């Protein structure tokens, strides 16, 4: 009897111990789960974008704009209920970056009063950004449109003046060498664009021109115009010049030479095999080497294309120049064909006159004016084709020219890589490939499944 009691006591102890172990193990597992969740929520980004086009990731420019917000902004997505998911996918990217952005999803058919309040009169998907009593509708219901609307809301609009009457690029031109896309890029980033003729008016640059642009002149500037440009920069003005190879502009050349960045009368030829990957000829250098200026700092991982470019020779800085920076350089396999003109049919390296690379094809500079508080700035590129319709979309070309404009207009916080349009994914199949998919996928696989089922049934029956 005593032996049975001892066994019963031992069994009870074993069961109690097992129960205690179960409770302890349960608590340990629960604690591990809680700690993992806390660590993930606090230290790990819980969103992973595995799409090929990074559909759910924001560009560096958008991150800069969001991090620079000083006040709260409301974003209203006007769409029907069925289309709201696309708006959530987009705007959650913004609200996850900063708490200063609040997203609202509005069906204009169910809330017509709010649609009227924000002047939404179209049934199409519309996104509006608002701060205080001001609001702007995004030009498009995508990242680029929303980000540009945020810039306009928080920073206002500035004017870019293009000097004309010297054969410059056509701002409205839709052809390959026109500037229609460049103009649209400026207006998308909340710049107004205006044409300016110096000698036809007061021969002065209006004070409200945040940036003045020389876009590929085919004729030289007259001495009075050069004097106007020189005075403009010495008074704190901002000049963006895109010159071209084979165009003689001695007055303009002397102006930049006085600022320590003399344009060479050459055509840059780069024999670097890198360009062959893109199928570009040697007279269209592909740039992979950049300076330290904030203009090109975001471009370290991308390439730019300089079609038919001339080079610059950086010389000893005059007393009025604070800094001269080389922005873009060609490879060591390049050379500058001196004395170039468009009539030359064949270009080969001539050691007696040509200059070996690397060569500078883009420069920037800061000038000390009469007023120490007003520093002039300039950016000069060796080609205007970099901003032409045919080449603006090449990798970093658009970012380079827009960063130059933003740096000149003192919008350094906008220097970045811009949102790229989402690329649709296509699967191109030949007629034979589509027939194979039909036979194998639509007919073949179901037949195999049926045969396998019949085989299993037959084996079990036996």
């Amino acid at each position: 009897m005593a032996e049975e009691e001892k066994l019963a006591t031992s069994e009870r102890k074993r069961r109690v111990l097992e129960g205690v172990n179960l409770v302890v193990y349960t608590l340990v597992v629960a604690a591990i789960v809680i700690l993992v969740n806390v660590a993930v929520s606090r230290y790990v980004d819980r969103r992973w974008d595995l799409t090929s086009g990074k559909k759910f990731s924001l560009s560096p420019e958008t991150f800069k704009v969001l991090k620079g917000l000083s006040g709260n902004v409301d974003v209203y997505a006007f769409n029907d209920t069925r289309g709201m998911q696309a708006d959530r996918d987009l705007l959650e990217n913004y609200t996850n970056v900063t708490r200063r952005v609040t997203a609202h999803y509005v069906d204009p058919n169910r809330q017509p009063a709010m649609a009227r309040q924000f002047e939404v009169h179209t049934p199409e998907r519309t996104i509006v950004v608002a701060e205080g009593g001001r609001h702007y509708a995004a030009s498009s219901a995508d990242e680029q449109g929303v980000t540009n609307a945020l810039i306009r809301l928080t920073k206002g609009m500035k004017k870019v003046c293009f000097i004309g009457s010297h054969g410059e690029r056509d701002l409205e031109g839709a052809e390959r060498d026109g500037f229609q896309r460049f103009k649209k890029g400026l207006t998308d980033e909340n710049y107004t664009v205006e044409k300016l003729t110096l000698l036809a008016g007061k021969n002065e640059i209006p004070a409200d021109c945040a940036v003045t642009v020389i876009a590929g002149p085919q004729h030289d500037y007259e001495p009075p115009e050069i004097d106007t440009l020189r005075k403009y920069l010495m008074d704190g003005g901002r000049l963006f010049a895109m010159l071209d190879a084979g165009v003689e502009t001695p007055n303009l050349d002397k102006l930049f030479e006085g600022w320590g960045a003399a344009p060479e009368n050459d055509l840059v030829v780069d024999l670097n095999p890198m360009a062959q990957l893109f199928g570009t000829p040697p007279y269209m250098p592909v740039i992979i080497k950049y300076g330290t200026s904030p203009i090109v700092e975001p471009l370290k991982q991308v390439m730019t294309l300089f079609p038919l470019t001339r080079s610059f020779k950086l010389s000893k800085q005059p007393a009025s120049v604070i800094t001269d920076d080389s922005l873009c350089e060609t490879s060591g396999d390049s050379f500058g064909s001196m004395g170039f003109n468009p009539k030359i049919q064949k270009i080969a390296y001539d050691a007696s006159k040509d200059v070996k690379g690397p060569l500078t094809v883009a420069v920037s500079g800061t000038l000390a004016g009469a007023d120490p508080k007003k520093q002039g700035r300039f950016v000069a590129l060796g080609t205007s084709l970099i901003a032409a319709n045919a080449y603006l979309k090449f990798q970093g070309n658009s970012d380079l020219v827009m960063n130059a404009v933003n740096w000149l207009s003192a919008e350094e916080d906008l220097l970045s890589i811009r949102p790229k349009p989402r690329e649709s994914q296509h699967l191109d199949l030949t007629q034979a490939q589509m027939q194979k998919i039909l036979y194998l996928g639509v007919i073949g696989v179901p037949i195999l499944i049926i045969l396998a089922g019949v085989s299993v049934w037959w084996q079990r029956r036996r």
Side-chain angles (χ1 to χ4, degrees), residues 409-450:
S409 64
E411 297 288 1
E412 285 89 346
D413 55 334
L414 299 183
L415 303 180
S416 189
I417 302 294
R418 283 149 186 78
K420 297 296 186 288
R422 306 301 183 190
E423 296 181 358
S424 58
Q425 303 295 318
H426 300 281
L427 178 63
D428 297 322
L429 299 175
T430 64
Q431 185 69 27
Q433 289 170 330
M434 287 190 290
Q435 287 180 349
K436 287 181 180 179
I437 292 175
L438 174 65
Y439 294 145
L440 294 176
V442 180
I443 299 176
V445 172
I447 290 177
L448 289 174
I449 293 174
I450 292 172

Side-chain angles (χ1 to χ4, degrees), residues 148-376:
N148 288 337
L150 283 172
I151 295 172
R152 182 181 180 188
L153 182 73
T154 56
K155 295 182 176 296
M157 302 187 73
K158 292 186 177 182
K159 182 186 292 185
V160 176
C161 298
F162 282 76
I163 299 178
S165 75
H166 307 87
E168 288 86 355
R169 300 286 175 186
D170 183 5
L171 285 174
E172 310 298 334
E175 62 277 4
R176 289 177 55 82
D177 60 354
F179 265 31
Q180 186 183 72
R181 287 183 176 178
F182 182 36
K183 179 184 177 182
K184 185 179 185 303
L186 289 169
T187 55
D188 283 347
E189 294 205 11
N190 305 304
Y191 290 97
T192 60
V193 177
E194 183 178 290
K195 294 181 180 179
L196 175 65
T197 302
L198 294 181
L199 292 180
K202 298 180 180 179
N203 193 26
E204 65 179 21
I205 297 173
D208 61 347
C209 286
V211 180
T212 300
V213 182
I214 298 174
Q218 300 304 298
H219 307 285
D220 200 8
Y221 279 45
E222 297 297 326
E225 295 175 302
I226 297 296
D227 293 338
T228 298
L229 292 172
R230 184 181 291 109
K231 181 179 183 301
Y232 170 66
L233 258 73
M234 296 307 293
D235 289 340
R238 309 300 170 94
L239 180 65
F240 186 18
M242 291 175 277
L243 309 178
D244 284 316
V247 180
E248 295 186 5
T249 54
N251 293 334
L252 267 178
D253 294 352
K254 187 174 291 187
L255 176 67
F256 286 98
E257 183 180 357
W259 295 332
E264 297 279 29
N265 183 24
D266 64 353
L267 175 70
V268 176
V269 179
D270 198 339
L271 303 176
N272 188 345
M274 174 71 70
Q276 297 177 7
L277 297 175
F278 299 93
T280 57
Y283 50 82
M284 292 187 179
V286 174
I287 305 301
I288 59 176
K289 183 179 180 181
Y290 301 98
T292 58
S293 167
I295 298 173
V296 293
E297 182 63 30
L299 304 179
K300 299 300 184 182
Q301 304 300 322
V302 298
M303 289 172 276
T304 49
L305 182 69
F306 277 67
L308 299 175
T309 184
R310 62 198 297 190
S311 65
F312 295 87
K313 181 180 180 181
L314 295 181
S315 58
K316 187 177 180 180
Q317 297 173 357
S320 62
V321 178
I322 298 175
T323 60
D324 269 332
D325 294 315
S326 174
L327 301 180
C328 304
E329 291 186 6
T330 58
S331 74
D333 297 320
S334 64
F335 66 91
S337 179
M338 303 302 293
F340 168 77
N341 68 75
K343 295 181 180 179
I344 296 177
Q345 298 295 320
K346 187 176 182 180
I347 299 175
Y349 176 67
D350 185 345
S352 64
K353 64 173 184 177
D354 294 341
V355 180
K356 287 286 290 182
L359 302 171
T360 295
V361 293
V363 297
S364 66
T366 303
L367 308 181
D371 185 348
K373 296 181 180 180
K374 294 182 179 180
Q375 295 181 345

Side-chain angles (χ1 to χ4, degrees), residues 119-137:
E119 304 175 74
V120 177
H121 305 297
T122 173
E124 298 178 356
R125 178 186 178 197
T126 304
I127 296 180
V128 177
V129 297
E131 181 184 40
R134 299 177 302 124
H135 66 271
Y136 295 106

Side-chain angles (χ1 to χ4, degrees), residues 129-146:
V129 297
E131 181 184 40
R134 299 177 302 124
H135 66 271
Y136 295 106
S139 59
S140 56
D142 55 16
E143 181 190 348
Q144 187 170 12
V146 174

Side-chain angles (χ1 to χ4, degrees), residues 368-432:
D371 185 348
K373 296 181 180 180
K374 294 182 179 180
Q375 295 181 345
R377 289 182 176 182
F378 72 88
V379 173
L381 309 183
T383 176
S384 63
L385 285 173
I386 190 173
N389 297 330
Y391 305 105
L392 186 63
K393 296 300 181 182
F394 180 89
Q395 289 212 10
N397 280 17
S398 176
D399 293 314
L400 174 60
V401 295
M402 291 306 305
N403 282 357
V405 173
N406 288 332
W407 179 77
L408 290 167
S409 64
E411 297 288 1
E412 285 89 346
D413 55 334
L414 299 183
L415 303 180
S416 189
I417 302 294
R418 283 149 186 78
K420 297 296 186 288
R422 306 301 183 190
E423 296 181 358
S424 58
Q425 303 295 318
H426 300 281
L427 178 63
D428 297 322
L429 299 175
T430 64
Q431 185 69 27

